[in-house]
Amino acid sequence: MTDKICFRDAKARTHRPGLVLEVDVHNERRMLVLDKFLIKHEYRISKQNGECFVDVTNDSNLIHRKGNIVPGAMTVSKIILPLEIIFSELEISSVNIKFTGSAYYSERTCNLFLWQFVSNDYVQIEVKTYQHDRPIATTIILGRLKTAGRQVKEIDESTVNKKCLERVQTYFETLGIQSNFYLQKEGYKDYTYPLAYIASLPSAEIVNQLSGQGGMINILRMDFGSYERIPITGDKGPEVKLARAKKRNTFNKIMAEIAEGLVTYYRGLAIVNPIAKFHNSKEPVIDTINKLINTDSQEKEFIAPT
């Protein structure tokens, strides 16, 4: 059940490779990124970890517990979190993910990352997610390299909310990643919420504010434009505020804000299909949920669930 990550450089044997492994005077190795390259990330999600994940993110959708469907937010986390850990010098500014199918527990999943510079400082990463040969999601991530000499605001460990930190550490465990890989930066500990964790919260809140247990998300967009991370010091942790845009018959467009205390840090939106009805709707969705729970795992027409 362990992850496997490998790098692929089409120009590796040419005079202008995209990746160069360098050894410094202290005999420490680092990888230099000079041009476009691919990352292949293979993993499996166990049902036990999926159930723990929805507990941590407060997702009440039954299809992740009684059914065999991986939470869409977990798929998002497995896309964003490796980038935050491996490329700590990258500041992610936005994530745009479109689901085209459902992921299932215990099946081999593959993320293919195509990294390319769009300017000297800005990076675009296109990600294709598959289970076997079946497409699950397509993602576009935009970011930029950290400004040289930018001061890092370190957080005093005594001010950290221990319960919130434990929740974040459990979040890492559900994804099969040691939390220290994120927390331990060069010379200090980073007590801020990972953007992957933040991006997993709107999905659960959308489910919680819909009638029944339902909600099928088609598109999720998150804008992290300020690059500021939320410190793990508040009383309650990040809060998701939702508002539905103009009502449509074909889909629901839901606007989201991520706030901590009085400060709004990030904004986003989700496109949710008509199965999702808000609390004031009289139209039940429990029949549809039962169908999802009892569906054969080879069904290919579902939009990925929240």
Side-chain angles (χ1 to χ4, degrees), residues 61-94:
N61 199 332
L62 290 177
I63 58 178
H64 307 313
R65 293 180 172 85
K66 294 187 176 181
N68 195 37
I69 298 178
V70 175
M74 208 167 186
T75 301
V76 174
S77 293
K78 295 294 278 190
I79 292 170
I80 302 175
L81 196 54
L83 296 176
E84 293 190 83
I85 292 174
I86 298 173
F87 302 99
S88 59
E89 295 301 309
L90 176 66
E91 294 178 326
I92 297 173
S93 57
S94 67

Side-chain angles (χ1 to χ4, degrees), residues 155-224:
I155 298 169
D156 188 336
E157 187 171 355
S158 65
T159 66
V160 173
N161 184 314
K162 299 300 188 293
K163 287 187 177 180
C164 291
L165 179 59
E166 288 176 5
R167 179 176 290 270
V168 172
Q169 290 172 325
T170 303
Y171 165 82
F172 276 101
E173 290 174 6
T174 67
L175 297 167
I177 297 173
Q178 294 182 29
S179 59
N180 236 23
F181 288 156
Y182 171 84
L183 296 175
Q184 188 62 59
K185 298 297 194 292
E186 190 173 350
Y188 73 100
K189 282 210 168 184
D190 183 0
Y191 291 112
T192 61
Y193 289 97
L195 296 183
Y197 176 80
I198 297 297
S200 72
L201 299 179
S203 176
E205 189 59 27
I206 289 170
V207 170
N208 294 337
Q209 291 196 29
L210 296 173
S211 64
Q213 305 291 330
M216 303 288 285
I217 195 167
N218 181 228
I219 292 174
L220 176 67
R221 298 174 184 168
M222 293 298 300
D223 179 11
F224 304 116

Side-chain angles (χ1 to χ4, degrees), residues 251-267:
F251 63 89
N252 287 313
K253 181 178 181 182
I254 302 173
M255 314 303 293
E257 291 184 347
I258 310 295
E260 210 288 328
L262 299 176
V263 180
T264 297
Y265 283 84
Y266 315 119
R267 290 179 170 81

Side-chain angles (χ1 to χ4, degrees), residues 31-279:
M31 186 173 288
L32 304 180
V33 179
L34 306 176
D35 202 349
K36 66 173 62 176
F37 67 94
L38 280 171
I39 302 174
K40 184 180 181 182
H41 179 200
E42 295 181 343
Y43 66 90
R44 298 174 190 266
I45 298 292
S46 69
K47 187 170 184 179
Q48 180 181 1
N49 281 351
E51 291 172 346
C52 290
F53 182 91
V54 293
D55 286 339
V56 169
T57 58
N58 195 31
D59 187 337
S60 60
N61 199 332
L62 290 177
I63 58 178
H64 307 313
R65 293 180 172 85
K66 294 187 176 181
N68 195 37
I69 298 178
V70 175
M74 208 167 186
T75 301
V76 174
S77 293
K78 295 294 278 190
I79 292 170
I80 302 175
L81 196 54
L83 296 176
E84 293 190 83
I85 292 174
I86 298 173
F87 302 99
S88 59
E89 295 301 309
L90 176 66
E91 294 178 326
I92 297 173
S93 57
S94 67
V95 175
N96 188 340
I97 180 168
K98 181 176 182 179
F99 290 100
T100 53
S102 298
Y104 299 101
Y105 291 130
S106 300
E107 292 193 15
R108 185 180 69 88
T109 309
C110 178
N111 286 331
L112 287 177
F113 298 78
L114 173 60
W115 169 300
Q116 56 187 331
F117 286 96
V118 291
S119 71
N120 288 336
D121 299 319
Y122 286 84
V123 175
Q124 175 179 294
I125 304 168
E126 183 177 353
V127 190
K128 301 285 189 180
T129 304
Y130 300 90
Q131 277 197 334
H132 304 292
D133 295 327
R134 186 169 55 87
I136 300 300
T138 299
T139 307
I140 298 293
I141 298 173
L142 299 177
R144 71 175 183 183
L145 303 181
K146 287 183 179 178
T147 306
R150 180 178 176 183
Q151 293 294 317
V152 175
K153 186 178 180 181
E154 297 185 31
I155 298 169
D156 188 336
E157 187 171 355
S158 65
T159 66
V160 173
N161 184 314
K162 299 300 188 293
K163 287 187 177 180
C164 291
L165 179 59
E166 288 176 5
R167 179 176 290 270
V168 172
Q169 290 172 325
T170 303
Y171 165 82
F172 276 101
E173 290 174 6
T174 67
L175 297 167
I177 297 173
Q178 294 182 29
S179 59
N180 236 23
F181 288 156
Y182 171 84
L183 296 175
Q184 188 62 59
K185 298 297 194 292
E186 190 173 350
Y188 73 100
K189 282 210 168 184
D190 183 0
Y191 291 112
T192 61
Y193 289 97
L195 296 183
Y197 176 80
I198 297 297
S200 72
L201 299 179
S203 176
E205 189 59 27
I206 289 170
V207 170
N208 294 337
Q209 291 196 29
L210 296 173
S211 64
Q213 305 291 330
M216 303 288 285
I217 195 167
N218 181 228
I219 292 174
L220 176 67
R221 298 174 184 168
M222 293 298 300
D223 179 11
F224 304 116
S226 68
Y227 308 113
E228 294 296 329
R229 301 293 183 98
I230 304 177
I232 310 177
T233 55
D235 293 335
K236 299 179 180 179
E239 177 188 5
V240 181
K241 301 176 181 179
L242 301 178
R244 187 167 65 175
K246 182 180 178 181
K247 187 176 181 180
R248 297 170 172 85
N249 293 326
T250 53
F251 63 89
N252 287 313
K253 181 178 181 182
I254 302 173
M255 314 303 293
E257 291 184 347
I258 310 295
E260 210 288 328
L262 299 176
V263 180
T264 297
Y265 283 84
Y266 315 119
R267 290 179 170 81
L269 68 84
I271 304 298
V272 181
N273 74 354
I275 182 179
K277 304 296 180 180
F278 278 78
H279 282 307

